[in-house]
Amino acid sequence: MAIIVNLDVMLAKRKMASNELAAKIDITPANLSILKTGKAKAIRFQTLESICKELDCQPADILEYRKDD
């Protein structure tokens, strides 16, 4: 897949656990895990906005595009 999710990197930089972020943005830990592992098919802008707000980052810090070889 060409879209890489770097949510785990941002969580580590902010020293925050996945469960803590899930509680703060009001989604289930299971849904956050699906997003974090890159298995999600979509993400709502509202969810992305909430993640960025809590982690004090930009969407580009979380989502990255890489060309397929």
Side-chain angles (χ1 to χ4, degrees):
M1 178 180 243
I3 302 296
I4 309 300
V5 180
N6 293 315
L7 184 54
D8 54 344
V9 174
M10 288 307 300
L11 284 167
K13 285 182 179 180
R14 300 300 188 252
K15 297 178 180 162
M16 185 181 292
S18 295
N19 288 340
E20 182 182 350
L21 178 61
K24 286 183 175 189
I25 64 172
D26 198 31
I27 66 171
T28 66
N31 283 339
L32 185 62
S33 177
I34 290 168
L35 178 60
K36 194 170 99 170
T37 58
K39 294 180 181 177
K41 300 292 181 196
I43 182 171
R44 291 181 178 188
F45 284 140
Q46 182 179 8
T47 302
L48 183 59
E49 180 182 350
S50 297
I51 290 170
C52 290
K53 181 179 176 184
E54 289 300 327
L55 295 178
D56 189 29
C57 66
Q58 294 294 313
D61 295 327
I62 297 169
L63 301 174
E64 175 185 350
Y65 171 76
R66 288 189 195 160
K67 278 188 173 180
D68 287 335
D69 292 334

